[in-house]
Amino acid sequence: MLFTESYTAVLFLLLTILAIIVWAISFIKPSMLSRRNVSARKSRKRVKKISLLTVAVSLVLSIITAPGTTMLEKAISIQNFFILRDYEVAGTFIYTSKTMDAEVTSVIDGDTFRIRTNEGDTEKVRLLLIDTPEIGEQPEPYALEARDYTKELLDGQTVHLEFDESERDQYGRLLAYVYVNDQMVNQLLLEKGLARVAVFPPDTLYLDDFRMIESRARESGLRIWSIDNYVTNRGFNTNAAASGQ
């Protein structure tokens, strides 16, 4: 199975390279790829469309057939290719500064909310380095409490955003440390026991501070830490929460 996936992935990669070569030839000498009665301009346009389509299809198929990756990782890679092309990649920024002020228009959950920038753009913001329980169809324990606390802090407020190494995640959301009334919301959620530390390198500017705050909340058994084995390195264990009730 691994051999077949590797062979197929290489095949699609070669098709991608061939498409790029054809595309380059169409610009250098379009007459090589066109009929005599077809103009160079039309030939370029046709070959460009075909080549770009071939590149896109080949890259997607290469990702799908790549060995040693899970389906989730493949899906995220494809999403990054088609969605993040509209945004700057990690380490570069659409906004000219690594800080910005914005108005909060709505709160989605404990660690996610929407803003309106000074330029009038609407953005979704994800709090950096923390994770709160998910609401979903069946809210996880303390998910609603985390959302309500974040809403109490942010709803209708003007906030200050500080970026780390990445401006956005794979879903196009801004990643930020968020301040309101000179207090960092990320830290407040950790202090209240409504969030855990969630590390996604290279965004680790306040990791050591966050670890210490999390440790104090855990030792005090605050909220999410009051349920044995509920908080894990990957999120929240709802089975542990259910068994503890």
Side-chain angles (χ1 to χ4, degrees):
M1 181 64 179
L2 182 60
F3 174 79
T4 303
E5 288 185 334
S6 300
Y7 180 83
T8 309
V10 170
L11 177 61
F12 287 129
L13 182 60
L14 290 175
L15 285 174
T16 302
I17 295 172
L18 178 61
I20 293 173
I21 292 173
V22 172
W23 186 40
I25 292 174
S26 71
F27 281 91
I28 298 171
K29 194 172 183 181
S31 60
M32 293 179 61
L33 303 171
S34 64
R35 299 189 300 271
R36 291 183 180 180
N37 60 343
V38 177
S39 68
R41 183 178 180 182
K42 289 183 178 179
S43 176
R44 283 195 185 99
K45 289 180 67 175
R46 184 173 63 249
V47 173
K48 180 181 179 181
K49 289 179 180 179
I50 295 173
S51 299
L52 289 177
L53 179 61
T54 304
V55 169
V57 172
S58 298
L59 283 175
V60 170
L61 292 175
S62 298
I63 292 170
I64 292 174
T65 57
T69 56
T70 65
M71 287 306 297
L72 177 60
E73 291 171 332
K74 291 173 182 177
I76 291 175
S77 296
I78 294 171
Q79 185 177 32
N80 288 347
F81 176 72
F82 283 105
I83 295 179
L84 284 188
R85 61 195 175 96
D86 295 329
Y87 301 101
E88 297 294 333
V89 297
T92 59
F93 290 79
I94 291 177
Y95 296 107
T96 56
S97 173
K98 295 191 73 171
T99 64
M100 65 183 296
D101 294 332
E103 177 189 356
V104 177
T105 57
S106 64
V107 173
I108 300 171
D109 56 28
D111 53 33
T112 312
F113 57 94
R114 291 186 178 90
I115 61 168
R116 182 182 298 108
T117 68
N118 292 334
E119 293 77 18
D121 298 326
T122 298
E123 297 273 12
K124 190 179 290 186
V125 179
R126 176 65 163 80
L127 295 175
L128 262 175
L129 267 180
I130 69 166
D131 179 37
T132 61
E134 298 292 332
I135 295 179
E137 294 183 3
Q138 183 64 40
E140 296 175 342
Y142 295 104
L144 298 179
E145 289 86 343
R147 181 200 60 189
D148 292 345
Y149 182 65
T150 300
K151 189 172 183 178
E152 178 185 338
L153 290 171
L154 299 183
D155 203 21
Q157 297 291 321
T158 296
V159 295
H160 181 72
L161 275 59
E162 177 187 4
F163 303 122
D164 203 327
E165 293 300 317
S166 307
E167 185 182 86
R168 299 176 186 270
D169 63 10
Q170 67 266 35
Y171 306 108
R173 300 177 298 186
L174 292 174
L175 299 172
Y177 306 104
V178 178
Y179 300 83
V180 61
N181 298 326
D182 297 323
Q183 292 183 300
M184 188 195 291
V185 177
N186 313 54
Q187 290 185 347
L188 293 174
L189 284 160
L190 289 171
E191 290 175 359
K192 295 290 185 180
L194 291 171
R196 70 180 185 93
V197 172
V199 184
F200 295 97
D203 305 301
T204 57
L205 181 60
Y206 298 110
L207 179 57
D208 292 340
D209 293 339
F210 282 19
R211 289 290 193 197
M212 287 190 291
I213 296 170
E214 180 189 60
S215 179
R216 290 196 294 267
R218 182 173 59 248
E219 291 170 0
S220 299
L222 296 178
R223 296 177 175 84
I224 62 173
W225 303 105
S226 65
I227 305 173
D228 290 339
N229 303 315
Y230 176 45
V231 183
T232 73
N233 290 332
R234 295 188 174 185
F236 299 92
N237 182 0
T238 54
N239 293 328
S243 64
Q245 293 178 348

